[in-house]
Every structure is written in C-alpha cells, then in structure tokens.
Amino acid sequence: MNQIKALIAAVALMGLAPVSQAQDSTVKTTSVIPENNKVQVAFRKLDKKDLPGDVSVVDVASQMNLNYMTSSLENMDGWINGFNGNSMWGMGSYLLIIDGVPREAGNVLPTEIEQISFLKGVNAVALYGSRAAKGVIYITTKRGKPGNQRINLRANAGINVPKAYPHYLGSAEYMTLYNEARRNDGLAELYSPETIYHYASGKNPFRYPNVDYYSDQYLKNSFGRYDVTAEISGGNDKARYYTNIGYQTSGSLLNFGEAVNNGTSDRFNLRGNVDVNLNQYISCNVDATAIFYTGRGVNANYWESAATLRPHRFAPLIPLDMIEPTDEASNVFVKNSNHIIDGKYLLGGTQLDQTNPFAAIYAGGNNKYISRQFQFNTGVNADLRNLLKGLSFRSTFAVDYNTSYNLAFNNTYAVYAPTWNNYSGTDLISSLTQYGQDATSGVQNVSNSWYRQTIAATGQFNYVNSINNRHHLSGVLLVNGFQQSESAVYHRTSNANLGLQLGYNLDHTYYIDFSGAVVHSAKLPEGNRTAFSPTVSLGWRLSNEPFMRSVRGVDDLRLTASAGILHTDLDIASYYLYQGVYTTLGSWFGWKDGTGVQATESRRGANPDMRFPKREEISIGLQGSFFHELVKLDGNFFINKMTGNIIQPNVLFPSWFTTGWPVSSFIPYINYNDDKRVGVDFNLSLNKKLSAINYSIGLVGTWYKTTATKRAEVYEDNYQNRQGRPLDAIWGLQHQGFFRDADDIKNSPSQSFGQVKPGDIKYKDQNGDGVIDTRDEVYLGRGGWFGSPLTLGINISLRWKNLSFFALGQGRFGSYGMKNSSWFWVDGEDKYSEVVRDRWTPETAQSAKYPRLTTFNSDNNFRNSDFWLYKANRIDLAKVQISYDMSSLIGNRKIVQELGVYVSGFNLLTISAERKLMEMNIGSAPQTRLYNLGVKAMF
C-alpha cells in the first residue's frame, strides 16, 4: 500500500502529462539483452539480431544528436526501406500506434521519442488485427531509467523563408489579353487602349489598381519558429520517472491588419510516465499526456483569394486626402467610419467585392482554433514464474480525449467604391458608394466544435524462456481492442481481435514464428463477422553454419521469409453495405382517400454472404553485416494480393436490375476486385573510421509495382480496361497539338466537349469512330497516389573531433502529375497567370505552348490529357546540419554535464525538370525553407 501511495504522490508532484507506453512484455531470462538493443514489435520486444526481415527501426533518440527534427515522421523515407512517406510497400493507410494506442503522428514530437518501428509484412502486423492490414508504424516514447536525475534542455530558433510565389499578370497585361480572349470568342473588346494605359502607368494605383498579393506591402520576407524542451528523468530499480515539457510557437507571413497580432500558433505539451516495481512479481506504469494547441488567425483565406482575385478589381484602400473637400456626403462617411486605416484610408471594395480579404483582415475580426488533447494509459505486469518459468501477464488500458473548436469575433464592415474625376487636372474622388455597415458586436462566437474519444485495452499472457541457452521459446496469447467515437459520426470505429504468437529459435540460427489473429468486424453480415488470419515467418542465419564460418568478411548473414493471409475491413467504405435498402420516398404516387402515397423503391440489393477482403502475401528478406560491420545490408522482396475488395458492379448483373427513371437498383455490394503489388526494398550502409574522421553513409530504396488484377468492367475498346493497369493509373486523352485553322477543324473528328476554334487542343481518335469523347481516353501514367514507384534516400554523417556534419537527400521517381490547378486551367473570368504568355495566336501557332485564350468555359482544353501531363521525378536536399560539441569547453562540469550547438537547414534544394511547379503552392501558404539555430545541454 505504501508503494502505491508513493506512486500517486510521485505523479502529483511531477505534474506528469505523458503518453502511452510500449512496455516490454517479456520477462528476464538467463540471457539479458541491453535495453538499447531491443526493438518494439507487435506486443513484445525483440533483440535487434532476431528481428524478422519485414521490420525496420529508427533510433530517434540517438539520431537527434546529429539530426534535429521538427516532426515525428520527418524524412523517414530517407531512413527506412519499404516506407515511401505515404505508405509501406505501396499499400496505403497504415495504422499508427504510440505506446500501444492508436494515435496520430502529431501527438508526439521527436524529443519525446525513443524509437520508431516500421512493421511491414503480414507476420509482423497480424496480432494487431483487421485495421493493421496495411502496415503499422509503432512510436515508442522515452521512459525513465535508473540513475541520478537527468535534465536535458534543448532550444531552437529558426526562420522560415518562402521558396517561391506564383506570378500573375498585372492589370494592364491582363486587360490586354482579356481583350484578345474576347476577340477569339467573336466578342468586342472590353477595355480601351486609354484605360489600359492608365493601369500600366502606375501613376494612381488607387484609381487604377494593380494589386500584387505577393508583394512586401502585404507579406513579410520570413517568419519565425521557436521551440524549447525540458526533459527530466531518473529513478532507481524500484521506480523510474520521465517528464517532457515543451513549448513551440510559429508566426505568419501576413503583415497587415489583424494578421499582425493574430498570425501565430502555439503548442504546449506535457508528457510524463512512472514505472514502479511494487514487488519482485508485480510492476506497473502510469502515463499521461496533455497537448494544448492554439492557432490564431483572421477571418479570411488570403492565399485562396490571392489565386483568384484579379489585380484590377478594386483598390484595397481609399485615400482620404483624395476626397474632394466639398464632397460632404463622402466626408460624412469618413467621420462615421469605425475603420480609418493608419489615419489615412478607408476600406475599398465594389458591389461585387463587398467582402474581400483586405477589408476582412483589417476589420473583419479574428479567430482562434483551439485544440486540447488528453491521453492517459496504464499497465500492470505480473511475473508468473512460480506457475511456469518464463510466464508473465500484462494488461493495459488507455483513454484519449481530443477536442477542438473555433472562437471568433465576427465583425461586419463597410467598404467604399469611389467615383473619380480629373476635371482639375488631378485625380480626385467625387463621391463614395458605401456597401455594408460597420458593426462590432463584441460577442465571441463558438463554432466547429469537435471531439474524438479513443478507448483501448489489451490483456496478454507472455511466455519467454531459454533451455540450455540454445532453445529459445516465446509465446503470446492476447485479446486486443480499441474503439474511437467521433462527433457527428454515427458509428464508432472499432477493432477487436484475439491473437496468438508462437516462436522458436535454435541457437539464434533457425527461426520459426507463427502469428495469427481472430478478427471481428461489424461492417459484415452476421455469420461472417469473424475470421482467422494465420501467418508464419522463417529465418536462417547462414553465418552460423560451418560452411560459412570460413568465409572472410561475413560477420552476419540471415535469410528470412514470411507468408500469410490477413482479413481486413479497412477498405469497406461504410457499415450495413450488406443490407438491401428501400425507400418510401419513391418517384410514383398512388391515391388513397384523396391522400398522395409515394411508391416504395429499391436502392440496393442485399448480400448476406459478404466477407472480409484479404491480404495474401509472401516476402523474402536478406540481412547481413560484412567486414567487421563496415557494410550492413537489409532488403526484402514481396508479393501481395488484396482479394475480394467490395464494389457494387452494375456490369455483372442483368440490365433490368437497374432502371433509369424512376431510379431503382437491386444490385448488391459484393466481393470482387483484386489488386496485386510486387516490389523490393533495401537499406545499405557504410560505416568506417578514416584517420580522425568517423563517417557513415546510408542508402535506402523502395520500388513497387501495382496492378488491378481483377475488375468488373465492360468497355467497348480493350485499351480502356482498368484491369491489368496500375492502381494509381491516370487516364486521359492524347493530344495532337493545336487546331491550325477552320479547315483543320472541319477535317478532324467531331468534338463532343464543346465548340472548338483554331488554337484549341486537338485530340487523337483512338477508336476511329469519328468522334472525340471519353471513349478515346487511354492510360497515361502512374499518379503515385500511394507514393512514388521508386523512392530513394541517402543520409551522410561525418564526425571529426567535436564537429559533426549531417546531410539527408531524397529522390522520387516514376510517377506523373497533371497540371490542372487554377494556375494552368484559365478560362472565363479567371485570374491570368504568367503561363498564358505562351498562348496560341495565329502569329505564334508554331511555337505556342498554351491553348488560345477564351472568356467561355473551355471544356475541350481543360480536361485530363497528356498535354497537361508532367513527370514528377525529383531529388530533394531535405536536411543539412552542422553540430559542435562544446562539452570540452566546460570546466568542472558539476552542473552542466554536456553542451552543444548546431545549425541546420530544411527543404533546401529541389532538382527537377518541374522544379518551379513543385516548389509553388497555388491557393495556400507557400512552401518554406527553414534555417535553424539550436542549443542543447544536459544537467
């Protein structure tokens, strides 16, 4: 009882707000493994030398000495084979776990992390059940260790500098080209040469505005980012504690109005845990975390407006000194206005722009996005060696609660449209037209309230034992589950399964591991809601064999293989899809006693035989160390199939199962579509000391190919079949340049995407039917939606005396993108980007790179085609850091034990044929380079 009281007192005194934990579920045996050699896998920890090939790990705590990171999964595709930043082995959405509980990557910062495990293969993830079928990323946070109290401090200060801004045409050039667009459409010009001249002259930007939304008049050159972290840990063999307290703040580029004081975000986190050995048989842990985030902003989307509002529409500000003194009505507006900007301006606008980003940022009020996250988990371990040597029991329970909401002062404001004159030879405002009213209510509004609750629990028996230090046995029998409820979402997200793991290795040479789970899902009909997922993994350490011991240069060489079937409901879009659906709000009406009664109609057929989709996989791995660990290699080859994906296939049922009107369908959802993935990954590292320089070079890579192996489809032309094509296939038309003239149009196939004229894009008639339509769309390339087909990463670290250098590069190859943003697809009343300068005209017909301009909707030009396709190949210099260990400069070291300083740069360089496009954001805040100065100390 005294120990329990001591535990509670310790938590209270430290104010611990920690996270969940991934405890080692094994018990001590005759072979004790150092903690830093253990890697978290599913519900247990393994020695690094015994890891299966489909598991990779990053030691974040050690990496932070050379590589300061700002987010938990930052640049992990430059470290881990099989992970491309979006997915593992190209499978899509993985399950992210923090200390045993499903959470989000943003819930934890790198300073809080001990290691990150990447569980890729079927055997590695089987025990987590249905929702882990596409891989698991397991983040293990730091815990206290026996020893004197340790305090680690780290502080960083950095500036974010925009990489690129989009460039749009100024008012005069826009008007000139808009006139051209109207001529192309057979319409009269809208802007006279005199008007264009005035806008071009720039003499009076208030009367003839030419608004550049990206100028330093509205934006800063950079904004700051700062963070500070304190870690406190210590304890003894009876009790250990760890606390992490962190604060982070970041600014904004906007530099006017309310944005000056309301453009920052703040994050405060408090994390802590306590591990206590209550006696020689029972231990427990208590973890808690609190995260407080506040984002301040303005009541306008400035970046979206910057991409859409044309530069001549209105002047953001109206100068008071240009109002005629005799204009009494306008002076009354000035006198009664609540918003005189800098004592010199009224807010500008027009009847069409009564609300605009400038007026909203100056006078529209401000808002706060507030997020609060509280996470609590606890676990109890019981050593049952008195019942059976090597047997133990562990149970965990966790509750997370996330909530967020917006607080806003929503003010209304008046804008003014001036009427100008020049009869005195000087531009003056004759009158003002007011739109809207100034009103500041002072009432703070609450909106967008949201919450999510996660409850997770496990109970497991663990068996770990060694016989004669040769036969190593392991086993886990567990029940595991979690449930997430979310506001405005009717059905909770649930995962429940029973798991069994049985493992054996002989002399760390021959390995066999069985992992299986009985999974359950409420998305399937009764009778089919449970399934068994069996997997097996084999390993053979060739380097321990007599025939390999004489081979020079081989330190360690191991071959692994795994296979299995996982049942999953991850891709079942919704609940109750197995049920037939009828509506009483049909299209037909009957009459009963003078009352209209609508018909009952079917919307969907029932399928009581719906079952789990399955991931079926075989993988082979090779791990090795050579020449006294000079070279290390880890690689995998994998083939997996996702079979029985659920669709509603019209083409597999007779046509009379559906009707056009009234709309009715008896077609059910069924298991039908199959997908296939084949790929390899590798991690090759070179570690050597050359004279006084220690260096390490790592090269990682992932390549995969996807295929839609089975599809329910009926296309008239085989080239349109999705079956046999990549899962991320881009489909579109093939272009043949521009229409040259009217005769070219007349002699070409009929166009079904609207009227075309010379200068419009001409497409290939794939099926020869004389009509250009969607039946002429063909496969164009891979979209890379699950990550680029080939991902490469290189990391280099050098250390000379107290000076260290680190660099990380990444490459992504093999995918394509479509230039379909508002920057490229310009028609109607859209804002003109600089890309339209290469437009087609009769004079530039031979060199044009862009279609003719039009004020109409251009459905023909602006649709998916290879005209807009580009290769998304790129190489990025993601990180460079130089560190200096100043510990040797400290004298006695009684207080400060270690001291270091470092400078680092993030997102420094992109090499690509489409670099300009890749570095430019349209409609959102720009990408930035971060230059950071940091200092760390241990006390």
Side-chain angles (χ1 to χ4, degrees), residues 598-621:
Q598 288 181 264
T600 297
E601 295 174 355
S602 173
R603 293 289 185 261
R604 183 174 75 214
N607 178 12
D609 296 323
M610 183 184 292
R611 62 188 186 277
F612 281 97
K614 294 183 291 185
R615 173 185 171 187
E616 303 170 348
E617 180 176 277
I618 296 174
S619 64
I620 299 173

Coordinates of all heavy atoms in Angstrom, one line a residue, residues 598-621:
Q598 N -46.4 7.9 -51.8 CA -45.3 7.6 -52.7 C -44.9 6.1 -52.7 O -45.1 5.4 -51.7 CB -44.1 8.4 -52.2 CG -44.2 9.9 -52.6 CD -43.0 10.7 -52.1 OE1 -42.9 11.3 -51.1 NE2 -42.0 10.7 -53.0
A599 N -44.4 5.7 -53.8 CA -44.1 4.3 -54.0 C -42.9 3.9 -53.2 O -42.1 4.8 -52.8 CB -43.8 4.0 -55.5
T600 N -42.7 2.7 -52.9 CA -41.5 2.1 -52.3 C -40.6 1.6 -53.4 O -41.0 0.8 -54.3 CB -41.9 1.0 -51.4 OG1 -42.7 1.5 -50.3 CG2 -40.6 0.3 -50.8
E601 N -39.3 2.0 -53.4 CA -38.4 1.7 -54.4 C -37.1 1.1 -53.8 O -36.7 1.5 -52.7 CB -38.1 2.9 -55.3 CG -39.3 3.4 -56.1 CD -38.9 4.6 -56.9 OE1 -37.8 5.1 -56.7 OE2 -39.8 5.1 -57.6
S602 N -36.5 0.2 -54.5 CA -35.2 -0.4 -54.1 C -34.0 0.5 -54.5 O -34.0 1.0 -55.6 CB -35.0 -1.8 -54.7 OG -33.7 -2.3 -54.4
R603 N -33.1 0.7 -53.6 CA -31.9 1.4 -53.9 C -30.7 0.5 -54.0 O -29.7 0.8 -54.6 CB -31.6 2.5 -52.9 CG -32.7 3.6 -52.9 CD -32.5 4.5 -54.2 NE -33.4 5.6 -54.2 CZ -34.5 5.7 -54.8 NH1 -35.0 4.6 -55.5 NH2 -35.3 6.8 -54.8
R604 N -30.8 -0.7 -53.3 CA -29.6 -1.5 -53.3 C -30.1 -2.9 -52.9 O -31.0 -3.1 -52.0 CB -28.6 -1.0 -52.2 CG -27.3 -1.8 -52.1 CD -26.3 -1.2 -51.2 NE -26.7 -1.3 -49.8 CZ -26.4 -0.4 -48.9 NH1 -25.9 0.8 -49.2 NH2 -26.8 -0.6 -47.6
G605 N -29.5 -3.9 -53.5 CA -29.8 -5.3 -53.1 C -29.0 -5.8 -51.9 O -28.0 -5.2 -51.5
A606 N -29.4 -6.8 -51.3 CA -28.8 -7.4 -50.1 C -27.8 -8.4 -50.5 O -27.9 -9.1 -51.5 CB -29.8 -8.0 -49.2
N607 N -26.7 -8.6 -49.7 CA -25.7 -9.6 -49.9 C -25.3 -10.2 -48.5 O -24.4 -9.8 -47.9 CB -24.5 -9.1 -50.6 CG -23.4 -10.1 -50.7 OD1 -23.7 -11.3 -50.6 ND2 -22.2 -9.7 -51.1
P608 N -26.1 -11.2 -48.0 CA -25.8 -11.8 -46.7 C -24.5 -12.6 -46.7 O -24.0 -13.1 -45.7 CB -27.0 -12.7 -46.5 CG -27.5 -13.0 -47.9 CD -27.3 -11.8 -48.7
D609 N -23.9 -12.8 -47.9 CA -22.6 -13.6 -48.0 C -21.4 -12.7 -48.1 O -20.3 -13.2 -48.3 CB -22.7 -14.5 -49.2 CG -23.8 -15.6 -49.1 OD1 -24.0 -16.1 -48.0 OD2 -24.4 -15.9 -50.2
M610 N -21.5 -11.4 -47.9 CA -20.4 -10.5 -47.9 C -19.3 -11.0 -46.9 O -19.7 -11.3 -45.7 CB -20.8 -9.1 -47.7 CG -19.7 -8.1 -47.8 SD -20.2 -6.4 -47.3 CE -21.3 -6.1 -48.7
R611 N -18.0 -10.9 -47.3 CA -17.0 -11.4 -46.4 C -15.8 -10.4 -46.4 O -15.8 -9.4 -47.1 CB -16.5 -12.8 -46.8 CG -15.9 -12.8 -48.2 CD -15.6 -14.2 -48.7 NE -14.9 -14.1 -50.0 CZ -15.5 -14.0 -51.2 NH1 -16.8 -13.9 -51.3 NH2 -14.7 -14.0 -52.3
F612 N -14.9 -10.8 -45.5 CA -13.7 -9.9 -45.4 C -12.9 -9.9 -46.7 O -12.6 -11.0 -47.3 CB -12.7 -10.4 -44.3 CG -13.1 -10.1 -42.9 CD1 -13.8 -11.0 -42.2 CD2 -12.8 -8.8 -42.4 CE1 -14.2 -10.7 -40.9 CE2 -13.1 -8.5 -41.1 CZ -13.8 -9.4 -40.3
P613 N -12.4 -8.7 -47.2 CA -11.3 -8.7 -48.2 C -10.0 -9.3 -47.5 O -9.9 -9.3 -46.3 CB -11.1 -7.3 -48.5 CG -12.4 -6.6 -48.2 CD -12.9 -7.4 -47.0
K614 N -9.1 -9.8 -48.3 CA -7.9 -10.5 -47.7 C -6.6 -9.9 -48.3 O -6.6 -9.6 -49.5 CB -8.0 -12.0 -48.0 CG -9.1 -12.7 -47.3 CD -9.1 -14.2 -47.5 CE -9.4 -14.5 -49.0 NZ -9.5 -16.0 -49.2
R615 N -5.6 -9.8 -47.5 CA -4.3 -9.5 -47.9 C -3.5 -10.8 -47.9 O -3.3 -11.4 -46.8 CB -3.6 -8.5 -47.1 CG -2.1 -8.3 -47.4 CD -1.5 -7.3 -46.4 NE 0.0 -7.2 -46.5 CZ 0.8 -6.6 -45.7 NH1 0.3 -5.9 -44.7 NH2 2.1 -6.6 -45.9
E616 N -3.1 -11.3 -49.0 CA -2.4 -12.6 -49.2 C -0.9 -12.2 -49.6 O -0.8 -11.6 -50.6 CB -3.0 -13.5 -50.1 CG -4.5 -13.8 -49.8 CD -5.2 -14.5 -50.9 OE1 -4.7 -14.6 -52.0 OE2 -6.3 -15.1 -50.6
E617 N 0.1 -12.7 -48.9 CA 1.4 -12.2 -49.1 C 2.5 -13.2 -48.9 O 2.4 -14.1 -48.0 CB 1.7 -11.0 -48.2 CG 3.0 -10.3 -48.4 CD 3.1 -9.1 -47.5 OE1 2.6 -8.0 -47.9 OE2 3.6 -9.2 -46.4
I618 N 3.5 -13.1 -49.7 CA 4.8 -13.8 -49.5 C 5.9 -12.8 -49.6 O 5.9 -12.0 -50.5 CB 5.0 -14.9 -50.5 CG1 3.9 -16.0 -50.4 CG2 6.4 -15.5 -50.4 CD1 4.0 -17.0 -51.5
S619 N 6.9 -12.8 -48.6 CA 8.0 -11.9 -48.7 C 9.3 -12.7 -48.3 O 9.2 -13.6 -47.5 CB 7.8 -10.7 -47.8 OG 7.8 -11.1 -46.4
I620 N 10.4 -12.3 -48.9 CA 11.7 -12.9 -48.6 C 12.6 -11.8 -48.3 O 12.7 -10.7 -49.0 CB 12.2 -13.7 -49.8 CG1 11.2 -14.8 -50.2 CG2 13.6 -14.2 -49.6 CD1 11.6 -15.5 -51.5
G621 N 13.4 -11.9 -47.2 CA 14.3 -10.9 -46.8 C 15.7 -11.4 -46.6 O 16.0 -12.6 -46.4

